[in-house]
Amino acid sequence: MLYALKIAARYLTASKAQTALLVLGVAVGVFIFIFMSALIGGLAQFILSRTVGDISHVTIEAEPDDPALLISPAGHVLLVAERGRTRTASLSEAATWLPLIEAVPGVKAVSPQITGAGFLTRGAQVEQVSVTGVEPGRESAILDLEGYMVEGRARLGAGLIVLGRELADDLDLSLNQPLRLQSSEGVTALLTLSGIYETGNGALDGARAFVSLSTARTLFAMPQGVSQIEIKLFDLNAADATALRIRGLTGLDAVPWTDGAEQLMEALSAQAQTGYFLKTFALITIVIGVASALLLSTYRRRPEIGIMRAMGAGRGFVVFVFVTQGALIGLMGGIMGAGLGYLALLPFPPREAFKPGTLPMDITQGSYGLAITLTVIGAILASILPARSAARVDPVTAIGQ
């Protein structure tokens, strides 16, 4: 085997220019493979971070109470007592479930919230808003409110409110100005604007107001419990499994973000399939290049192969020489292409620093080891046909050529 390896290496070094050109061609194919892997993987992460990164990965919402029925002994309905439609549903035992949810593997943050509708008033101006009450210290547990702040601070306390830039501009508000917030329960609170955020999402910046949980309890007449629990995960792709685990642990209806996101999932799946096709074409190019070069080498070295066969070399020996030659070409080209791909991706920012308008290249998704492995396997497969052709060479005919 060592002798066959030595012959294969000699064949490669006998024509350095041809070998260098072949290795470079393989390296370019590997570079394309890695570049496409980083681009498609980074684009998927960017899309997910922009659409799912600032929302709850698993949500538990309180369900409104069923109407109370007063039924006579004869089975007739005498009275139907239905809760007011404006009254906020409550998870009354949320404090009991929070430690259990936080202990579930994969859970990054948990945010108990009280949500509802309200009206912001400043002078004669009135704006309808969606009010979210969060615990102080958990303001950025789900939405990175601290990272989106453009004025003031995200820290909430009693009597404070944080608004989006668009909403603040509509009401012509500036920091530390007072305003009134009336909830759907009819309760009014005088609050002070302590911060202004801007996410770039008009639906959020123009309609969402954040207050402390204690302020929300007063506004929505909810002395205990919360209306929903939002959960952030380290891996958003594990939302389905984590939701099932929380559901089994607590009995609450935990809903993953994937429910209702079928179109997004289909788009990401189609994007991944496109990437597979492009990377497959890159591998096919490598296989064709290696196979054609080794076929040419076989025809050029027919006399040498004939001499080896005449000296007692078996067909398996000849096959091993050319397969080893193909494997060496694939290995050298794979390592070179992977190195070039890594160096080319270094200047791009990491996934945590992706920004709109930039190319979302994720260097961690370059699939370097996979690219080298598939290249070596492809080169070996490409060398089988030329190797079998060389093994079938008739020694007498080849020496006489």
Side-chain angles (χ1 to χ4, degrees):
M1 295 299 178
L2 292 177
Y3 184 62
L5 181 62
K6 182 177 181 181
I7 294 176
R10 178 167 293 182
Y11 281 170
L12 291 176
T13 57
S15 180
K16 293 183 176 62
Q18 178 182 342
T19 301
L21 187 62
L22 183 57
V23 171
L24 181 61
V26 173
V28 170
V30 174
F31 176 84
I32 295 174
F33 183 96
I34 290 174
F35 189 87
M36 294 306 302
S37 297
L39 176 59
I40 293 172
L43 185 58
Q45 289 295 328
F46 178 73
I47 293 174
L48 285 176
S49 65
R50 295 295 293 175
T51 56
V52 188
D54 285 331
I55 68 172
S56 171
H57 298 157
V58 178
T59 304
I60 302 172
E61 292 186 350
E63 297 182 357
D65 291 343
D66 294 331
L69 302 180
L70 179 60
I71 303 176
S72 69
H76 301 292
V77 178
L78 302 178
L79 177 66
V80 178
E82 187 175 358
R83 292 185 64 177
R85 292 186 178 181
T86 61
R87 190 167 183 82
T88 305
S90 172
L91 290 167
S92 57
E93 299 180 358
T96 304
W97 303 122
L98 288 179
L100 296 177
I101 296 174
E102 290 176 333
V104 172
V107 171
K108 181 179 181 181
V110 178
S111 177
Q113 301 175 358
I114 296 176
T115 59
F119 296 92
L120 276 177
T121 304
R122 181 175 181 268
Q125 294 177 294
V126 179
E127 291 285 344
Q128 185 175 0
V129 294
S130 174
V131 182
T132 300
V134 297
E135 281 189 352
R138 298 183 191 246
E139 294 89 352
S140 298
I142 308 300
L143 173 70
D144 185 16
L145 198 59
E146 186 68 38
Y148 289 124
M149 296 302 297
V150 291
E151 292 184 47
R153 59 193 181 93
R155 185 74 178 182
L156 291 169
L160 301 179
I161 187 171
V162 173
L163 302 178
R165 166 64 74 186
E166 186 175 334
L167 186 58
D169 290 343
D170 290 342
L171 292 172
D172 194 23
L173 289 168
S174 57
L175 285 180
N176 301 318
Q177 280 193 312
L179 66 160
R180 292 184 181 275
L181 175 60
Q182 181 179 358
S183 71
S184 56
E185 299 291 331
V187 180
T188 301
L190 181 62
L191 305 174
T192 301
L193 181 61
S194 62
I196 299 175
Y197 66 88
E198 185 173 13
T199 65
N201 184 342
L204 188 63
D205 296 345
R208 180 73 67 87
F210 290 91
V211 297
S212 67
L213 199 61
S214 60
T215 300
R217 290 194 186 284
T218 302
L219 287 169
F220 296 101
M222 190 182 295
Q224 63 180 3
V226 295
S227 57
Q228 70 178 22
I229 300 174
E230 292 193 342
I231 303 164
K232 194 92 164 191
L233 306 179
F234 288 102
D235 181 11
L236 56 87
N237 296 313
D240 292 334
T242 305
L244 286 174
R245 183 174 295 180
I246 293 174
R247 200 174 302 165
L249 181 66
T250 64
L252 301 175
D253 187 17
V255 180
W257 69 270
T258 51
D259 281 16
E262 290 80 6
Q263 292 183 344
L264 174 61
M265 301 303 292
E266 289 176 0
L268 293 175
S269 177
Q271 180 188 13
Q273 292 177 8
T274 301
Y276 294 146
F277 279 117
L278 294 175
K279 290 186 284 189
T280 299
F281 292 149
L283 287 175
I284 291 175
T285 302
I286 294 172
V287 170
I288 293 175
V290 173
S292 60
L294 291 180
L295 278 173
L296 179 61
S297 176
T298 299
Y299 289 121
R300 288 179 54 195
R301 302 187 183 280
R302 287 174 69 88
E304 299 177 22
I305 296 171
I307 293 173
M308 283 193 299
R309 292 295 311 280
M311 294 179 64
R315 290 187 176 183
F317 181 86
V318 177
V319 169
F320 184 80
V321 168
F322 280 89
V323 170
T324 302
Q325 189 177 350
L328 289 174
I329 292 173
L331 182 61
M332 290 187 293
I335 294 175
M336 180 182 294
L340 291 174
Y342 182 80
L343 292 176
L345 295 175
L346 273 179
F348 291 93
R351 69 171 70 178
E352 296 82 7
F354 284 166
K355 295 181 180 179
T358 61
L359 198 61
M361 304 291 292
D362 187 359
I363 192 172
T364 63
Q365 298 199 37
S367 303
Y368 308 97
L370 178 63
I372 296 174
T373 302
L374 292 179
T375 300
V376 173
I377 294 174
I380 291 174
L381 294 176
S383 63
I384 290 177
L385 180 61
R388 294 184 63 183
S389 176
R392 287 194 296 265
V393 170
D394 181 66
V396 179
T397 304
I399 294 174
Q401 289 181 345

